[in-house]
Every structure is written in C-alpha cells, then in structure tokens.
C-alpha cells in the first residue's frame, strides 16, 4: 500500500466517524423519547457488529491455534446474531456438488449403479480392488431411495459433547430427515430419537461385536433402536473394512431384506475428497461427519448441523466432553476436525447451512 493510499484511507475513516457521530447527535437532539432512540442506536450498533463478524467468519483463515480467547468471544457474539440464509450460496453449492460428486447417482453402491463382477476400487488406495460377486450384489439396495425429490429440512447430528444438556432433541426430531453417526446413542431430551440415515464404523464391529456370527442378537438389538433408519458403512475405504462390513450386512440382511445396509461408494468418496482438496481442505481423510454434511448440502433444502464442536471448552469456556456419549477421540493424524469446523463456520456465515453451537430453546424450532 502506498503512502497516499493509506493516507486517503485514514481520511475516509475519519470522515465516516464524523458522519456517524453527527448522526448520533442529531438523533439524540431531535427525538423526544430518548430511551427508544438509545435502543435504536444500540440496535444499529449490534447490526453493524453482526455484519462485521459475518464478513470475518465467511472468509476466516485461522492461524495455527484456532480457539483463542478472541475467537471464542467473537464466535459467541456471532452465534447470537440473527441467521441470514443465502439462496444463491445454497444453489451454487448444490449444483457444484451435483456436478462433481452426484450423491443421487453414487452415494452408495446399488444394484443399479454396480454390476456383477465389476472391479470396485478402494477409496484410499490406487492399487487394491474388490471384485463384486453375484451373492454380495444380490444384497445391495435396489436403487437410491431418495432420488427425484429434495429432502427438506435435514438435521446432521455429530457426536460433540456440546449436545450434552443441550435440550436440542425436540428441534432435531422435528426435521424431515435426520442423519447420525457411529450408532450414536439417542434420547429425546438432548439429541432426539428420529433417525433416517446412520453410519456404522467398521472398527465398531471389530471392537464391540467380536463374536458376531455366534451372537448376532447383540447387534440386532443395538440397531433396532433406530427403527426404519438406513444403515451405511464405508466398506471400501480401506481393505480391512470390507470383511467387517460384509459380516454386519450378513447379520442385518435377513432381518430387514427390504432395507439392507448400504455401502458408501468409493467413487463418490473419492470425488468428494477431490472436491474439498480443490477448495484447500486437505486432511488425510475427511471425517464421515463432514462427508455426510456435504451430501446433505446436495440433497436437502435446508441443512442444520448439531454436535460438531472439536474443542475442549464451549463458547462460555466451560469444559465439554469430546463426545456426548463417551470420551473417545478421533485420530489427529487421520482427520483435521478443527479445519473442518472452520469450513462449517464459513458455510454458516455465507448462509449455506445453519450451525448450532448453543443449547436449544424450549420454544424451538
Ligand atoms: C448471497 O451470496 C452471493 C454469492 O456469494 C452474494 O453475491 C450475495 O450478495 C449474497 N446475498 C446476500 C443477501 O447476502
Ligand atoms: C447423477 O446420477 C444420476 C443417476 O446416474 C443421473 O440420472 C443424473 O443425471 C446425474 N446427475 C448429474 C448432475 O450428473
Ligand atoms: C461373473 O464371473 C463369473 C466367473 O468368471 C462368470 O461365471 C459369470 O458369468 C460372470 N457374471 C456376469 C454377470 O458377468
Ligand atoms: C462372494 O463374496 C463374499 C464376500 O467376499 C464371499 O463370502 C462369498 O463366498 C463370495 N461368493 C462366491 C460365490 O464367490
Ligand atoms: C448436565 O446437567 C446435569 C444435571 O442437570 C449436570 O450434573 C451436568 O454437569 C451437566 N453436564 C454438562 C456437560 O453440562
Ligand atoms: C418403515 O418403512 C416402511 C416402508 O418404507 C413403512 O411402510 C413403515 O410405515 C415404516 N415404519 C415405521 C415405524 O416408520
Ligand atoms: C440423554 O443423553 C445424555 C447424554 O448421554 C444424558 O446426559 C442425559 O441424561 C440423557 N437424558 C435422558 C432423558 O435420558
């Protein structure tokens, strides 16, 4: 910046301050009811503050440590500002995700988009493949169940400890479509009960259902909590996932043949990875939460995100557990949760989705 440019900028700022000051004086001088004019002024200042924070967070590029004191304070202020939806942003995101990734065509493997004997690649490998045989193919879902219509208001419910005591259950349950992760516990008060799509992590099968074949009832009982929900597993993320996913499918298929479990398509997850890499988000692997929020941006009219908060303290600086149901942490090497959170915050500020970080009020939604 040259000296004249910065000089001009200062003069401009000075002028702005003078104009605002004059405006405020005039307001106080001419308004008989000073109390309401003071309220109006406070309101105008609040609106300016909100607009400033909205601009800031919509292009936010944090330093190494994201959650500093000033970040928490500003984010807390911003979350009290009225939410501004932006239809243009929503449609631009939807269209580009449709063109690059196409969840309707490819979110999971179906009888329609996958052939017998087709060689299926692995999401994270350039060499390994899996050959789809006739018996596994016969257990794939017929077709994508939600094509041809928008999914309305969707709630994507992460496992963040901020959901504890949040009273968000009623608001979440009032959504048209609810997405959850890793067979997370549900209850009416904090996280809601409605579940339309829920993921199972292959490592959950590995750790918690070691004797799946001898004792399938344990898993059958666990999944029965979610009623009619669709289950989905990343069977072709890594080679170790395939056998675990097929074993789970073998248990669930006989009890719900109309709605067998789905496997994420590795083609979809690869294109989604490329989509976000091109936009500067480059973790070793996107979290499943971030993947399905992206899916929701394509399929849903309106995306509400709950329980995504990868920090140890909340907006009031009270400690929060990492998950609302246990203390497990994701691998820092694998995922970049804080960077993903910054993206979600950008999308929220741009009006593309709504991020919920505070307890829900009882008169919601
Ligand atoms: C909505 O987003 C578009 C694209 O970023 C932007 O040009 C427009 O000004 C935004 N509209 C409002 C009302 O903020
Ligand atoms: C997505 O895939 C479906 C099914 O293959 C296809 O009908 C649709 O045209 C595709 N959409 C786009 C935007 O390519
Ligand atoms: C798949 O491969 C097997 C073994 O090579 C063959 O017998 C079968 O006809 C093939 N099926 C289809 C549908 O191509
Ligand atoms: C098909 O694949 C499944 C899972 O890998 C395997 O258990 C089964 O034996 C295979 N069936 C045939 C006929 O090869
Ligand atoms: C939730 O509320 C209970 C009882 O009201 C309290 O004991 C507990 O500390 C709260 N937990 C969190 C994480 O706020
Ligand atoms: C489950 O889904 C089937 C078909 O999609 C529907 O007929 C049935 O009413 C649903 N059951 C419940 C409990 O929602
Ligand atoms: C709901 O789940 C949360 C988290 O596990 C727990 O703290 C709370 O007590 C539960 N509430 C009810 C009514 O079960």
């Amino acid at each position: 910046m040259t000296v004249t440019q910065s000089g001009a900028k200062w003069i401009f700022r000075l002028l702005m301050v003078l104009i605002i000051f004059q405006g405020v004086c005039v307001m106080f001088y001419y308004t008989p009811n000073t109390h309401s004019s003071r309220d109006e002024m406070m309101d105008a200042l609040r609106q300016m503050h909100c607009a400033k924070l909205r601009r800031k967070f919509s292009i936010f590029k944090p330093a190494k440590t994201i959650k500093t004191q000033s970040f928490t304070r500003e984010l807390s202020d911003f979350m009290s500002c009225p939410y501004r939806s932006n239809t243009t942003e929503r449609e631009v995101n939807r269209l580009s995700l449709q063109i690059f990734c196409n969840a309707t065509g490819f979110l999971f493997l179906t009888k329609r988009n996958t052939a017998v004997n087709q060689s299926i690649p692995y999401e994270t490998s350039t060499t390994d493949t899996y050959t789809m045989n006739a018996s596994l193919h016969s257990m794939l879902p017929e077709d994508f169940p939600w094509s041809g219509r928008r999914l309305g208001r969707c709630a994507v419910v992460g496992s963040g400890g901020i959901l504890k005591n949040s009273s968000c259950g009623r608001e979440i349950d009032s959504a048209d479509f609810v997405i959850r992760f890793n067979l997370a516990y549900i209850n009416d008060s904090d996280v809601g009960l409605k579940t339309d799509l829920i993921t199972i992590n292959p490592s959950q099968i590995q750790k918690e259902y070691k004797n799946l074949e001898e004792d399938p009832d344990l898993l059958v009982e666990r999944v029965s909590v979610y009623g009619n929900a669709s289950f989905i597993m990343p069977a072709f993320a890594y080679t170790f996932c395939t056998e675990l996913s097929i074993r789970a499918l073998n248990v669930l298929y006989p009890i719900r043949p109309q709605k067998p479990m789905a496997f994420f398509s590795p083609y979809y997850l690869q294109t989604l990875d490329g989509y976000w890499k091109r936009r500067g988000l480059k973790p070793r692997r996107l979290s499943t939460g971030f993947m399905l929020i992206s899916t929701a941006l394509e399929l849903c009219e309106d995306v509400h995100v709950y329980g995504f908060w990868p920090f140890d303290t909340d907006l009031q600086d009270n400690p929060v557990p990492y998950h609302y149901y246990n203390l497990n942490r994701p691998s820092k090497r694998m995922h970049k949760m804080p960077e993903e959170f910054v993206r979600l915050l950008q999308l929220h500020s741009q009006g593309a989705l709504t991020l919920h970080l505070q307890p829900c009020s009882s008169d919601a939604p």
Side-chain angles (χ1 to χ4, degrees):
M1 196 185 277
T2 65
V3 176
T4 36
Q5 264 177 329
S6 81
K9 209 168 161 185
W10 273 108
I11 291 173
F12 178 72
R13 279 190 192 161
L14 199 63
L15 272 175
M16 287 303 289
V17 169
L18 281 175
I19 290 169
I20 290 170
F21 182 69
Q22 201 186 12
V24 169
C25 294
V26 168
M27 245 158 61
F28 273 110
Y29 191 77
Y30 286 110
T31 320
N33 184 348
T34 21
H35 183 71
S36 85
S37 81
R38 189 173 302 139
D39 285 352
E40 270 168 35
M41 191 178 76
M42 291 307 289
D43 213 45
L45 286 177
R46 239 193 319 269
Q47 276 179 31
M48 273 165 63
H49 187 49
C50 284
K52 187 183 128 212
L53 292 174
R54 188 171 291 120
R55 264 194 311 278
K56 174 171 180 166
F57 285 127
S58 67
I59 53 168
F60 185 53
K61 290 256 166 34
K64 228 183 165 81
T65 312
I66 294 170
K67 197 170 177 295
T68 59
Q69 265 183 0
S70 73
F71 172 82
T72 309
R73 197 178 53 241
E74 290 187 326
L75 183 55
S76 170
D77 281 2
F78 182 46
M79 283 292 147
S80 314
C81 292
Y83 178 73
R84 289 262 183 87
S85 170
N86 184 323
T87 313
T88 315
E89 283 288 346
R90 287 173 187 221
E91 290 311 311
V92 166
N93 285 322
R94 186 192 317 288
L95 271 175
S96 37
L97 281 161
Q98 252 167 23
I99 290 166
F100 286 111
C101 311
N102 194 355
T104 303
F106 302 105
L107 177 60
F108 46 76
L109 300 180
T110 63
K111 288 199 181 83
R112 198 181 150 94
N113 68 18
T114 307
V116 174
N117 292 351
Q118 184 174 328
S119 169
I120 309 290
Y122 278 87
E123 178 198 335
T124 57
S125 161
T126 48
T127 48
D128 297 315
T129 59
Y130 178 88
T131 305
M132 177 62 61
N133 70 23
S135 74
L136 183 58
H137 189 267
S138 73
M139 291 193 280
L140 295 180
E142 292 295 328
D143 201 356
F144 190 72
W146 308 296
S147 57
R149 67 189 167 101
R150 292 256 176 96
L151 290 179
R153 187 157 67 85
C154 295
V156 187
V157 187
S159 305
I162 45 165
L163 280 172
K164 234 181 168 141
N165 291 359
S166 69
S167 309
C168 285
R170 221 159 68 87
E171 192 177 308
I172 290 169
D173 278 348
S174 74
D176 300 304
F177 195 86
V178 181
I179 300 174
R180 301 181 193 271
F181 302 90
N182 295 346
L183 296 177
Y185 294 105
I186 50 178
N187 76 26
D188 52 2
S189 55
D190 289 342
V191 295
L193 299 168
K194 184 174 161 65
T195 308
D196 293 281
L197 177 64
I198 183 163
T199 68
I200 304 176
N201 194 322
S203 64
Q204 290 182 289
I205 300 295
Q206 192 172 37
K207 288 185 196 131
E208 298 168 38
Y209 302 95
K210 287 200 172 75
N211 301 317
L212 195 55
E213 284 70 24
E214 297 83 65
D215 192 5
D217 288 350
L218 223 56
L219 182 63
V220 169
E221 259 167 50
R222 175 89 175 263
V223 303
S224 71
V225 170
Y226 306 100
N228 250 359
S230 299
F231 294 92
I232 185 163
M233 289 185 78
F236 303 102
Y238 298 92
T239 49
F240 87 91
C241 300
T242 312
E243 192 219 329
L244 293 163
S245 304
I246 291 173
R247 284 171 59 204
L249 173 64
N250 283 333
V251 169
L252 298 191
Y253 188 78
I255 59 166
R256 45 199 337 266
Q258 306 310 319
K259 226 172 196 175
M261 185 166 46
F263 293 157
F264 275 110
S265 160
Y267 301 103
Y268 176 78
L269 298 183
Q270 277 172 351
T271 52
L272 196 62
D273 181 65
Y275 179 90
W276 286 110
K277 275 208 166 72
R278 233 173 286 128
R279 285 160 177 74
L281 185 60
K282 298 173 179 174
R284 172 95 59 99
R285 185 164 184 265
L286 293 171
S287 71
T288 315
F290 198 83
M291 291 170 183
L292 283 178
I293 290 172
S294 308
T295 308
L297 286 172
E298 184 184 331
L299 298 178
C300 305
E301 203 66 58
D302 199 12
V303 178
H304 290 260
V305 174
Y306 299 84
F308 282 77
W309 181 253
F311 306 111
D312 290 334
T313 52
D314 66 12
L315 287 175
Q316 285 74 43
D317 277 328
N318 298 317
V320 281
Y322 199 81
H323 286 158
Y324 69 83
Y325 52 85
N326 66 26
L327 298 172
N328 295 352
R329 288 175 162 277
S331 148
K332 273 213 172 101
R333 206 165 41 83
M334 184 78 75
H335 299 311
K336 291 195 170 158
M337 299 302 196
E339 282 82 349
E340 289 186 0
F341 177 79
V342 166
R343 285 302 159 135
L344 297 179
L345 184 53
Q346 282 179 4
L347 290 163
H348 173 94
S349 316
Q350 293 161 355
L353 55 71
T354 315
L355 199 51
H356 296 263
L357 302 177
Q358 314 266 39
C360 296
S361 58
S362 49
D363 51 333

